[in-house]
Amino acid sequence: AAARELKDVKADIIAALQADKAKVLAISKAKDIAARLQAGEAMQAIAAEQKLSIKKVTGLSRNKPQLPEQFADAIFKAAKPAGDKPSVVIVPMPTGEQVIVSINKVTTGVMSDDDKKKLELAKKNIAHAFGQAEFNAVVSSLQSSADIKITPKATTAEQAAQ
């Protein structure tokens, strides 16, 4: 890559600096809005003031995703809302946008009989894997500390001489 003249790269440099500044500003603005939501301000009022849109999702389930994966992951990793205060999460987008998620209510799911069977099978598989790993560690430890000499098998003539 050859060095290019400033006049050739000036527009690219300006665009990159503006994009960085916009990203920093978006992060700062998202943190400010999240703090206001956690303090109890109404989302509708903040959205109207900031000229932002709101998308309300109800009945979100792990098994039936209604949102892109990065949103669902952030929502299900977030803390449950405490009392009347929502749990607020900022989800950064690859484009540099910051999406603010306010979780108002969490409903505990009910395990079906099939889910319970799967859970028991998973517990057994995990226990087996841990047991196997523990066994392999013990065998490795014993092998490394053992003093074993392997001699070639004696022929029947050599055995008779002894």
Side-chain angles (χ1 to χ4, degrees), residues 3-92:
R4 296 178 1 194
E5 291 290 322
L6 178 60
K7 64 181 179 178
D8 296 337
V9 295
K10 184 176 181 179
D12 294 339
I13 293 171
I14 291 171
L17 290 173
Q18 287 175 336
D20 285 345
K21 187 174 181 179
K23 186 176 180 180
V24 169
L25 185 61
I27 291 169
S28 174
K29 178 82 71 182
K31 286 180 181 178
D32 178 54
I33 292 171
R36 290 173 63 186
L37 287 171
Q38 287 174 329
E41 286 191 52
M43 181 179 280
Q44 291 76 8
I46 297 171
E49 173 191 309
Q50 300 290 327
K51 297 180 177 88
L52 300 171
S53 61
I54 297 176
K55 179 178 180 182
K56 185 174 182 175
V57 177
T58 57
L60 184 64
S61 169
R62 289 181 196 267
N63 300 332
K64 299 175 193 164
Q66 299 167 297
L67 299 172
E69 186 177 342
Q70 61 200 39
F71 291 132
D73 287 348
I75 290 168
F76 287 112
K77 287 179 183 176
K80 291 182 181 180
D84 292 342
K85 295 201 176 209
S87 179
V88 179
V89 180
I90 300 172
V91 183

Side-chain angles (χ1 to χ4, degrees), residues 76-129:
F76 287 112
K77 287 179 183 176
K80 291 182 181 180
D84 292 342
K85 295 201 176 209
S87 179
V88 179
V89 180
I90 300 172
V91 183
M93 302 298 293
T95 57
E97 298 168 303
Q98 304 292 310
V99 177
I100 302 164
V101 179
S102 178
I103 304 165
N104 299 313
K105 181 181 175 187
V106 174
T107 305
T108 305
V110 179
M111 287 185 75
S112 68
D113 289 337
D114 191 40
D115 289 339
K116 290 177 184 175
K117 289 177 186 175
K118 288 179 184 176
L119 178 63
E120 286 304 315
L121 180 61
K123 285 181 181 178
K124 287 179 185 176
N125 288 341
I126 291 170
H128 176 74

